Amino acid sequence: MCGICGFINHSRDQNADELRAQVRRMATRLQHRGPDDSGEWVEAEAGLAFGHRRLSIIDLSPLGHQPMLSAHERYVLIFNGEIYNFKTLRAELEQLGHRFRGHSDTEVMLAAFEQWGPHAATQRFNGMFAYALWDRRERRLFLARDRMGEKPLYYGWQGNTFFFASELKALRAHAAFQNQINREALALLMRYAYVPAPHSIYNEIFKLLPGTLLTLDFSQALHALPEPQPYWQLRDAAQSGLAHARSHDERELIAELDALLREAVKLRMESDVPLGAFLSGGIDSSLIVALMQAQHTQPVKTFTIGFDDRDYDEAPFAKQVAQHLGTTHTELYVSPEETRAVIPRLPLLYDEPFADSSQIPTFLVSQMARRHVTVCLSGDGGDELFCGYRRYFRGHQLWKKMAWLPQSSRNVLARAITAMPPRMLNHSLRGLRGATAKFSRPGAVGDKLHKFAGMMNAEHAEDFYERLITFWHDSESLVRNAAHTPRLYADFKSDFNLQNFSERMMYLDARHYLPDDILVKVDRASMAVSLEARVPLLDHRIVEFAWQTPLALKLRNDQGKWLVRQVLHRYVPEEFFKREKKGFGVPLAEWLRGPLREWAEALLHEERLQREGFFNPQPIRKKWLEHLCGDYEWQYELWNVLMFQAWLEERGRR
């Protein structure tokens, strides 16, 4: 795991020493991603500079140093991530006549590029990666990102300079970088709590889409930015899977998924440094740990963060699983004060404004695990692949119940619900707690009803889902001078037609929410403490298998992840998981009314918002005051604004 960065000065007005000094400044900003080693490579006649920071995981010797040249010195590579099947590829390449000095996956990648070319070689990689490859003979730069988007890569032209880096902080270290904020991206942040790819918070800087390879040919015109070309697409995996759906033989599919997961976990346990796993006590992390322990002769190291608030604490469940499997388990209970102490660090940790509040416990568990190991396996991805989120089936049920109503009737019903604040609705419905417990936690029925009312105006299923996962619906009017920003799901039908609404939601989340929220959260939190996080469930073979699996084997009896549960029950008793999913969050609503109130008030002050010029203050102030008095729960909408404001304040200090 590493940090990569580089640039091409098209003016070619810097000598080798100047290029090296500039890229070293950029790479220094990524030291947290790679504290063990650093390196640069420059080609002054091309204006090219590569920078690398290394976290040594495989081949700890100097033979793993980057940037690395291929055996025939045609290619130069800097690489962030791991190629899990590198030993298999190495054996194949040795049969073809290649010889190796060390045993790193980087050297295997370079031999693969020489043998098959960048596009075909990348298709053979099973891993998480972002790389930059310079073809010295053809004067071409290749940038690529793994299939599901586990590793980040930003890129773009500004003036006469082409930039790329693992994180934006490296780009900001370059003298030619322009710090102009992209207001359309800011509107997207307000809507979704993250900036979706290919956008970034800065003008003219983009995120490389998962599963794509960009080729920059220096025989082309200046500033030409070709479209990244896919070498693998989730759409193709889903289409092919649905067209060639597997049989409903449950025992066969359970056994096959078990075997696939075992292989994916085994590959991700390859490490020359200490390795462990995050264990929340949920289905996915428990399954990953169970498969690790089944293939390991020593107790696996597992890590859990606990909270005093029972609504957010899953540590007792994790401990139960750890004891059953016989892991060496470490749990750390953190106080609310310790948890809140992370908040001032978030702008630096996440670099681009990011507002998923589970970023806080994710950082805390990463920080704790890093005291013991350098690599941790994670259970992310199971919900999006195997129908784990409640919205996939309850959202489907809601849409079916309301879609038949005329739009005018839905509008009348929505107005009737929203005529009363959520707190009053909670009070009025307090006698129906038993009937509402299935859909909402105690005290949150009114907020759920208001959310439902906001979805009643949906014109079609995708519009319904857009409203379901959106925070600020009219974000263009919230952000000053923001042009119309596209809805993530508006063009879904032009992508391909999925008949089942639950499957459509799963696909859309795997394409957007998973890489741009979940995987960003995990990558930045873990790399902030120089910890490598690996995600076995996102092995592309498992992704493809999931789309070949009939929905009836994912969703059964109003419960998701049925097939995954059957595999887990081979290792852990079923009764351990007969409970509702808690999630990995913090009590934001209470904090904003209490210990965070002064901090939030300073960032949301009307004069400040007016002076900075990014937001129209009135809707923000309205929600802030409604939240403070307790009539409404606007913590997530406000957190989106607060995370941008905190990032903006930190940016002004640099």
Side-chain angles (χ1 to χ4, degrees):
M1 190 66 61
C2 306
I4 65 173
C5 62
F7 64 91
I8 297 173
N9 176 358
H10 204 277
S11 301
R12 301 181 182 87
D13 55 2
Q14 292 177 291
N15 62 37
D17 289 340
E18 291 169 328
L19 291 169
R20 192 177 302 277
Q22 182 67 77
V23 83
R24 186 176 294 147
R25 283 194 293 272
M26 296 173 68
T28 299
R29 297 288 183 90
L30 301 175
Q31 184 172 353
H32 56 287
R33 297 186 74 93
D36 299 329
D37 190 20
S38 65
E40 303 87 33
W41 191 89
V42 301
E43 189 172 311
E45 57 270 28
L48 177 84
F50 276 5
H52 187 265
R53 294 292 317 196
R54 184 184 183 199
L55 177 63
S56 301
I57 303 293
I58 302 292
D59 192 349
L60 310 185
S61 77
L63 294 176
H65 176 81
Q66 298 183 45
M68 187 181 290
L69 269 70
S70 62
H72 296 95
E73 299 191 353
R74 174 177 175 177
Y75 293 109
V76 185
L77 174 66
I78 50 176
F79 158 56
N80 167 30
E82 303 288 347
I83 305 301
Y84 302 120
N85 64 333
F86 78 99
K87 287 185 175 180
T88 302
L89 290 172
R90 176 177 173 139
E92 183 179 356
L93 289 161
E94 285 175 332
Q95 290 292 319
L96 295 169
H98 292 266
R99 296 294 176 261
F100 297 90
R101 298 176 300 119
H103 64 276
S104 72
D105 51 355
T106 311
E107 192 177 1
V108 173
M109 292 174 72
L110 281 163
F113 294 138
E114 286 197 330
Q115 181 66 40
W116 299 302
H119 192 277
T122 304
Q123 288 179 313
R124 291 171 175 258
F125 299 154
N126 180 348
M128 58 174 184
F129 56 84
Y131 72 70
L133 179 73
W134 175 242
D135 184 340
R136 301 174 72 193
R137 187 175 73 192
E138 300 294 333
R139 296 174 68 82
R140 289 177 180 166
L141 176 68
F142 299 92
L143 302 178
R145 193 174 176 206
D146 62 68
R147 291 171 177 82
M148 294 301 290
E150 293 180 59
K151 293 293 102 185
L153 192 59
Y154 294 88
Y155 71 98
W157 281 101
Q158 288 194 344
N160 289 332
T161 304
F162 178 84
F163 301 96
F164 67 87
S166 299
E167 296 183 25
L168 290 172
K169 55 174 64 73
L171 303 186
R172 286 198 299 267
H174 194 288
F177 186 74
Q178 301 163 16
N179 282 301
Q180 295 180 346
I181 290 173
N182 182 335
R183 291 175 182 261
E184 286 69 40
L186 177 55
L188 289 168
L189 172 70
M190 294 301 105
R191 190 180 299 149
Y192 302 117
Y194 59 87
V195 178
H199 310 280
S200 90
I201 196 63
Y202 289 115
N203 285 332
E204 307 303 325
I205 298 297
F206 304 95
K207 300 184 182 92
L208 190 63
L209 290 171
T212 63
L213 189 150
L214 181 142
T215 305
L216 200 63
D217 190 333
F218 282 78
S219 65
Q220 296 174 343
L222 177 66
H223 298 162
L225 199 58
E227 280 292 313
Q229 296 303 304
Y231 64 86
W232 184 92
Q233 288 185 292
L234 179 66
R235 180 187 64 190
D236 293 343
Q239 282 182 314
S240 176
L242 292 169
H244 304 92
R246 306 293 296 273
S247 71
H248 286 67
D249 187 323
E250 296 174 1
R251 287 182 298 178
E252 177 186 324
L253 290 176
I254 291 167
E256 186 171 348
L257 179 56
D258 191 352
L260 279 171
L261 285 166
R262 275 177 168 262
E263 173 66 13
V265 167
K266 182 180 179 181
L267 285 174
R268 284 156 183 80
M269 292 175 70
E270 179 76 33
S271 175
D272 293 336
V273 295
L275 174 142
F278 299 130
L279 180 59
S280 69
I283 291 167
D284 299 323
S285 68
S286 298
L287 178 56
I288 297 304
V289 171
L291 293 169
M292 290 175 73
Q293 193 60 73
Q295 302 177 88
H296 205 276
T297 57
Q298 299 297 318
V300 171
K301 295 182 175 69
T302 53
F303 305 96
T304 299
I305 286 287
F307 301 97
D308 294 332
D309 190 332
R310 290 186 179 182
D311 287 340
Y312 299 91
D313 184 30
E314 287 195 308
F317 307 120
K319 186 175 183 179
Q320 184 182 39
V321 173
Q323 289 175 340
H324 177 80
L325 294 172
T327 72
T328 299
H329 190 57
T330 303
E331 66 178 19
L332 175 67
Y333 271 82
V334 291
S335 67
E337 293 76 20
E338 290 172 307
T339 308
R340 290 192 297 270
V342 176
I343 293 172
R345 302 179 62 181
L346 294 176
L348 280 174
L349 295 178
Y350 284 87
D351 202 29
E352 183 173 50
F354 179 76
D356 182 337
S357 60
S358 62
Q359 63 200 137
I360 299 171
T362 303
F363 171 75
L364 287 168
V365 74
S366 298
Q367 184 180 55
M368 186 256 286
R370 186 61 177 92
R371 298 177 191 136
H372 306 271
V373 298
T374 310
V375 177
C376 250
L377 271 62
S378 166
D380 294 295
D383 290 310
E384 293 82 2
L385 295 178
F386 292 97
C387 201
Y389 295 129
R390 284 186 295 179
R391 60 177 177 260
Y392 295 153
F393 34 100
R394 293 188 183 161
H396 191 182
Q397 293 165 356
L398 281 173
W399 173 247
K400 284 200 301 184
K401 288 176 180 177
M402 62 177 278
W404 64 272
L405 281 172
Q407 188 76 49
S408 57
S409 300
R410 282 191 260 154
N411 292 341
V412 170
L413 184 56
R415 284 196 297 270
I417 292 172
T418 55
M420 203 183 302
R423 183 166 63 174
M424 293 180 65
L425 285 170
N426 289 335
H427 182 75
S428 301
L429 298 172
R430 65 187 184 278
L432 301 175
R433 284 185 180 178
T436 60
K438 181 179 178 181
F439 302 99
S440 177
R441 70 182 190 276
V445 177
D447 295 289
K448 291 288 186 183
L449 285 171
H450 269 247
K451 181 80 173 178
F452 177 57
M455 296 184 289
M456 285 185 174
N457 296 323
E459 298 178 3
H460 48 74
E462 278 67 46
D463 186 26
F464 175 86
Y465 190 54
E466 173 81 27
R467 292 166 184 263
L468 178 64
I469 52 86
T470 294
F471 297 98
W472 292 91
H473 294 278
D474 193 15
S475 58
E476 293 91 350
S477 65
L478 179 71
V479 178
R480 290 182 177 177
N481 303 318
H484 177 72
T485 54
R487 269 57 177 170
L488 288 182
Y489 310 116
D491 64 343
F492 175 73
K493 290 184 179 178
S494 65
D495 199 350
F496 76 100
N497 187 27
L498 268 170
Q499 294 298 321
N500 186 279
F501 187 31
S502 294
E503 288 182 320
R504 295 208 293 274
M505 288 187 275
M506 290 164 57
Y507 171 82
L508 292 167
D509 275 356
R511 185 176 167 185
H512 298 291
Y513 175 67
L514 178 62
D516 293 329
D517 185 308
I518 300 298
L519 296 179
V520 167
K521 175 184 66 180
V522 173
D523 176 79
R524 303 308 191 276
S526 59
M527 291 311 300
V529 294
S530 306
L531 177 74
E532 174 169 304
R534 299 177 177 177
V535 190
L537 283 163
L538 295 186
D539 187 303
H540 66 278
R541 297 167 301 175
I542 294 173
V543 174
E544 291 163 0
F545 172 87
W547 279 102
Q548 294 167 10
T549 302
L551 183 62
L553 296 184
K554 300 174 186 174
L555 175 60
R556 184 172 291 188
N557 298 325
D558 204 23
Q559 188 177 62
K561 292 198 282 199
W562 183 86
L563 191 65
V564 175
R565 290 171 187 268
Q566 306 319 301
V567 177
L568 176 59
H569 298 159
R570 290 181 162 194
Y571 304 92
V572 182
E574 182 177 0
E575 57 267 22
F576 282 19
F577 304 96
K578 289 184 176 179
R579 64 180 191 276
E580 285 288 343
K581 185 182 181 74
K582 280 181 179 286
F584 201 36
V586 292
L588 266 187
E590 294 85 351
W591 284 2
L592 289 174
R593 294 189 185 102
L596 293 182
R597 179 170 178 168
E598 185 177 346
W599 167 79
E601 179 60 54
L603 292 173
L604 301 178
H605 196 280
E606 185 169 1
E607 290 183 7
R608 178 176 186 157
L609 295 172
Q610 195 76 42
R611 181 180 69 252
E612 290 168 343
F614 290 101
F615 294 114
N616 291 312
Q618 290 76 19
I620 295 172
R621 295 298 302 177
K622 181 176 184 292
K623 277 186 167 48
W624 175 233
L625 295 175
E626 288 174 345
H627 183 82
L628 287 179
C629 74
D631 283 344
Y632 293 82
E633 300 284 354
W634 295 123
Q635 65 269 30
Y636 299 116
E637 288 81 357
L638 293 167
W639 193 248
N640 292 2
V641 179
L642 286 165
M643 284 296 94
F644 175 77
Q645 288 294 98
W647 175 84
L648 190 66
E649 183 176 68
E650 179 60 37
R651 176 174 168 266
R653 296 192 185 107
R654 300 176 218 166

